[in-house]
Amino acid sequence: MGIRFFLALCFLLLVLGCEVQGAVLPQQHDASSQPLLAQVQESLSTYWDTAKTAAQGLYEKTYLTTVDEKIRDMYSKSTAAMSTYAGIFTDQILTMLKGDQ
């Protein structure tokens, strides 16, 4: 969860940074002929592509194989523990439902 939060925070800061600095868009010769909605859509699309590219680059820089192995190990251990506790819980429920016979 920490990595996802970190990436989300970086993405948010990147978008805000682009908004504050103002992305340099190619000058259009006849900008008045385009409707405002099309201009806004094009601007948002440019911001989105820039943010997506930056987030992908950040993810590729911070990707560590040891972290991936640790996550897999934690997942396998936690699923093994949960299956054990689920089995115990199921046995308790069945014992309660059966009662003393």
Side-chain angles (χ1 to χ4, degrees):
M1 183 176 142
I3 292 175
R4 288 182 185 171
F5 178 75
F6 178 72
L7 287 176
L9 181 65
C10 288
F11 174 73
L12 180 65
L13 290 175
L14 176 72
V15 169
L16 290 176
C18 287
E19 189 66 30
V20 169
Q21 288 180 346
V24 178
L25 297 174
Q27 295 294 326
Q28 297 175 351
H29 297 291
D30 196 11
S32 62
S33 66
Q34 265 189 335
L36 180 61
L37 181 61
Q39 291 175 358
V40 169
Q41 285 176 337
E42 184 177 333
S43 176
L44 288 175
S45 175
T46 303
Y47 284 138
W48 178 253
D49 291 338
T50 303
K52 190 168 56 170
T53 303
Q56 182 68 27
L58 180 65
Y59 176 75
E60 288 174 359
K61 282 183 187 177
T62 60
Y63 181 74
L64 301 172
T65 55
T66 57
V67 173
D68 191 35
E69 290 172 7
K70 287 180 183 179
I71 290 172
R72 286 183 188 163
D73 186 45
M74 285 185 343
Y75 176 76
S76 63
K77 287 181 181 179
S78 63
T79 53
M82 286 305 295
S83 62
T84 301
Y85 289 121
I88 293 170
F89 183 70
T90 304
D91 289 343
Q92 292 294 321
I93 296 289
L94 289 176
T95 302
M96 286 173 37
L97 292 176
K98 270 184 163 179
D100 294 328
Q101 288 185 357

